[in-house]
Amino acid sequence: IGLVLKHFKMEQEGVKLTFGGSLCCVSGIGASAAQVVAMARAINLAKCMALTEDQINEAGYEGEKGYHGTPSGIDNTAAT
């Protein structure tokens, strides 16, 4: 989460996040990518940023680094 906020240069802003849904948090199903891409989309809407799909995907990739170090880019691309 912090890496996505950093990507958007928002790490110093007060942000309240609430995640919900029925996606289980286990390895191998893309849950982390779904979370960070959903977060990027929410920030995009809340801040009226008009980001492209590629920019959302880039933010998702940055967020995936927090979970996987060097992600492949496949999960965040699929989640986007």
Side-chain angles (χ1 to χ4, degrees):
I1 292 171
L3 290 174
V4 175
L5 293 174
K6 184 176 180 180
H7 178 76
F8 287 128
K9 297 177 178 45
M10 295 176 57
E11 63 266 35
Q12 300 301 317
E13 291 187 35
V15 177
K16 179 180 179 180
L17 301 169
T18 303
F19 293 98
S22 59
L23 187 60
C24 59
C25 294
V26 296
S27 180
I29 64 168
S32 59
Q35 180 189 35
V36 293
V37 168
M39 179 181 162
R41 288 192 183 283
I43 290 170
N44 181 43
L45 289 173
K47 296 289 192 172
C48 300
M49 298 173 80
L51 298 175
T52 66
E53 291 294 295
D54 285 342
Q55 291 171 311
I56 296 285
N57 190 24
E58 287 172 15
Y61 181 80
E62 290 303 313
E64 278 282 271
K65 288 179 181 179
Y67 290 98
H68 303 293
T70 305
S72 68
I74 294 171
D75 287 349
N76 53 282
T77 299
T80 301

